[in-house]
Structures are given as C-alpha cells and as structure tokens.
Amino acid sequence: MFKEPKEQLEMLKKGTHSIIDEGELLEKLKRSHNEQQPLIIKLGLDPSAPDIHLGHAVVLRKIKQMQDLGHHAIILIGDFTGRIGDPTGKAKGRSALSDEQVKENAKTYYEQIFKVLDQEKTTVRFNSEWLSKMTFEDVMKLAATSSVTRMLERDDFQKRYKNNISIGIQEFFYPLIQAHDSVELKADIELGGTDQTFNVLMGRTLQNQLGLEKQIAIFMPLLEGLDGVEKMSKSLKNYIGVNEEAEVMFKKVMEVPDELIVKYFELATDEHPKEIEKIQNRIALGENPRDIKLELAEIITVLYCGEKKMGEAKQYFQTAFQKKLIPSNIPTILVEIGQEKIVDIIPLLIKNQFVKSKSEFLRLVKQDGVSFNSSKLTEDDLDRVIMNNDVLQIGKKRFIRFEK
C-alpha cells in the first residue's frame, strides 16, 4: 500500500536542493496512489568511476526512500556513452573507455549500489540496448531537437567556449542521449546532483517535444567532505567510502565538522524529517554535538556494515579514541619474542605502512608521539626487548600488537 501523496511528498522533499516541478510531482504521486502503480525513477551512472562514497550515495539514499514508499528504480549504466567519452564539468572532456573497462566498472557498481538500494525494486539497464541500434537518420533527428545556442547554456560548455578550450561535437550529444534515455525508459522521475541540472532538464524537454508526460527532475545538493569545505572526493581524501571497514567508517563520521551534522543526517541517512527537526532543536538547545555525532556514526555505519559490525566499531572507537586505552582488535605483527628489540622492528613498521621511514619513526619518538604498552617511548627505550602481546602505539590512531 502506498502512503498518502502529501506524506510521500514530505519525505521526498527531505534534503533536496530543488524539485522541478513540485506540483507535477504531487499529481504523479496522486495518480500512483489511486492506481496503486509505482512511479519509475531513473538514475544514470557513469561507469568510469566505480568507487562510491557517501557523496555519490546522496542520490542513492533518496532513491531508496522512494523505494520504501513503493516506487521502482531503474539504474541506467551508461555503457554506450562511457565508450565515447563525455563532458565532466571540468576543463576538458572525459576520455573514452574500452569495452572491458566499462564491463569491469559496471560489475563493481553492482556490488556497491545494492549496499543502498532494494534489489527487488531495482532494474539495471544499459543504454547500449537502444543507442547501439540507432541509425544515422535517428541520430540526425535527435540532433534536430536542440541547438548549439541551447547547448552553450550549459555552464561548463560556456566556460570552455569563452576560454577557447576545445569542445568536441560528440560532447553536445551527451545531454541529448541522456534525454533520449528518459524517453526510452518512460521515466517519471530523474534524479541527479546539482551539477547534472542541464542534462536532467533536457529529458523533460525532449519528452515534452515528443508528446510524453514530462519527468520530474529532483536535484540533490553536493555533500561536503570531512574538510567541511570541498565537495566529497576521493582525490581530495575527504571522503567516506561505502565499502570502508566499519571501524574506519565510524571514526570518519566522528570527524564530520559540527556545522555539517544536520546536513549529513539529511543527505546520508534515511531518518524522517521530523526526527531531523528534533536533532536541530537539540543542537539549538546546546546539547554536545559529539553526542549527536555519535548517533550519526551509529546510523551510517549500520546502513553500510550492519548492526554487529557497527557495535564492534563503536567499541573500538570509544576504547581507542575516547578512553585512550588499548583496543583488543588491532593489527598484529609476528616477531621473534624475547629476542628482537624495538629498534629491530622499525623495517617491519615501514613495510606494513605504519610509518613512512625510520627517520619519521625516530622523530615521532622524540616528539612523545609513540607509546609502548601505554607508556611514552623514549630514545633510551629503543633497545627494549619485545615480549608477547606488547603493544606499540604510533600517534593517536595506529596500534600494533606483537606476537610470536
């Protein structure tokens, strides 16, 4: 059974940047409710970047909320467009991919998107199904539905044109192809980030030109990373990956800047708007943001790693970073117990990437940044013989246990 349309609309609006058009969306929801038929939600994914982080998952979480309301998602892998390259919003177009790269990346997507989406309410399609069958006449007819003037309204094209940076003719086809995909799928709703505004709206335009009901465009804001400034990005190392180990994910969420707590609740969780309103009130009344962030870390880690793993990650975090004690589940290095000294195992620490070099390790020792069995390590201690279950701590985060 579908919930009342206005209640659905309230949930769908949570965290969105904009909806075009909200009135049309309500009418679609009413029809869907009356006919007990799910709406078709479209999301296109570029197969060139298969590692998904919470920034990418913002749109996926919104689709999951729609699935929970009874609707059906079509995840469209752009295998055809991936093979020809497309504009990225940067200074130059993205390179084309080989068939093998596209297939391998698409497989990786499968493993990650279903960490978020309901597989039973999701269909995965590839746009080569119809694009590879188009004749040159079909392509010319598609090209005739728009103009160069209209294409240059797209922000990144405009910037490149003004800066005399090359724009390939095939790049103009990318928004048209994305729009054609919406026609083929008979999409009711298409989601995208705010950087996809032009392409998604092209779908509405083309559907309207062909006498079809226009898809609703829902745009999600871009999520800032752990630095609190830049968009979450793997290259900037400010990301939380959906495939992170639970302990890593939990700790990273605890590093989210206080001013972004509410935004992360809105965009990275499935919490109801009323619950988020309560969180805003708690912050306004002066509750310690750390306690609220702990709840955020629990929710996000459960979503991707499960309840059991979250519990272990929380215990590890509280032990290692709050109580500053030695956690139990830490990496182990095998050594000759009772024979090797601390100075002897520095090459092992480098090999296992706990430190970059011997000089870095010695510098940290001088700066009181290394502990041995919870006591600060000094230069005079480097000749201490290592015994079974001794623990070395480097900085605040790196623990190593020695065993035979």
Side-chain angles (χ1 to χ4, degrees), residues 170-272:
Q170 87 280 5
E171 294 186 61
F172 284 160
F173 277 93
Y174 190 84
L176 288 172
I177 288 171
Q178 187 166 332
H180 183 67
D181 291 341
S182 291
V183 171
E184 289 286 342
L185 296 174
K186 298 181 175 60
D188 291 303
I189 300 171
E190 181 169 6
L191 277 90
T194 51
D195 53 348
Q196 280 287 307
T197 300
F198 185 90
N199 287 10
V200 176
L201 291 180
M202 268 295 220
R204 276 175 63 85
T205 301
L206 186 58
Q207 285 174 323
N208 188 50
Q209 286 181 353
L210 297 176
L212 304 173
E213 186 176 293
K214 292 180 289 184
Q215 67 183 15
I216 305 302
I218 297 182
F219 300 107
M220 301 302 296
L222 302 178
L223 183 65
E224 292 89 347
L226 299 179
D227 55 6
V229 179
E230 299 289 344
K231 180 180 78 169
M232 187 175 285
S233 165
K234 195 163 186 181
S235 62
L236 295 175
K237 299 182 179 179
N238 65 352
Y239 71 100
I240 304 173
V242 302
N243 272 343
E244 303 264 30
E245 293 294 330
E247 290 162 4
V248 175
M249 182 176 289
F250 195 99
K251 182 187 173 297
K252 282 188 174 183
V253 177
M254 292 301 296
E255 294 173 1
V256 170
D258 291 352
E259 61 271 19
L260 290 177
I261 290 174
V262 173
K263 189 168 187 178
Y264 269 70
F265 266 106
E266 286 182 332
L267 301 182
T269 80
D270 296 329
E271 296 299 289
H272 194 278

Side-chain angles (χ1 to χ4, degrees), residues 23 54 58 114 171 180 192 248 250 259 286 291 314 327 374 390:
L54 293 193
V58 167
F114 292 121
E171 294 186 61
H180 183 67
V248 175
F250 195 99
E259 61 271 19
D291 297 334
K314 181 180 179 181
S374 299
D390 280 346

Side-chain angles (χ1 to χ4, degrees), residues 6 42 50 58 70 79 166 170 186 253 268-269 285 344:
K6 287 186 179 179
K42 173 198 170 192
V58 167
D79 64 325
S166 175
Q170 87 280 5
K186 298 181 175 60
V253 177
T269 80
L285 291 171
D344 298 327

Side-chain angles (χ1 to χ4, degrees), residues 68-106:
D68 291 343
L69 293 170
H71 304 295
H72 191 85
I74 296 180
I75 301 302
L76 183 68
I77 306 292
D79 64 325
F80 185 89
T81 40
R83 289 197 295 266
I84 63 173
D86 67 82
T88 64
K90 299 180 182 178
K92 59 182 180 179
R94 182 180 291 126
S95 300
L97 300 172
S98 68
D99 286 346
E100 291 73 23
Q101 287 173 311
V102 168
K103 288 175 183 176
E104 189 60 35
N105 290 346

Side-chain angles (χ1 to χ4, degrees), residues 370-387:
V370 181
S371 298
F372 190 71
N373 294 334
S374 299
S375 298
K376 293 295 180 185
L377 191 72
T378 68
E379 290 181 90
D380 293 335
D381 295 323
L382 293 176
D383 285 332
R384 285 182 60 173
V385 174
I386 297 173
M387 303 305 292

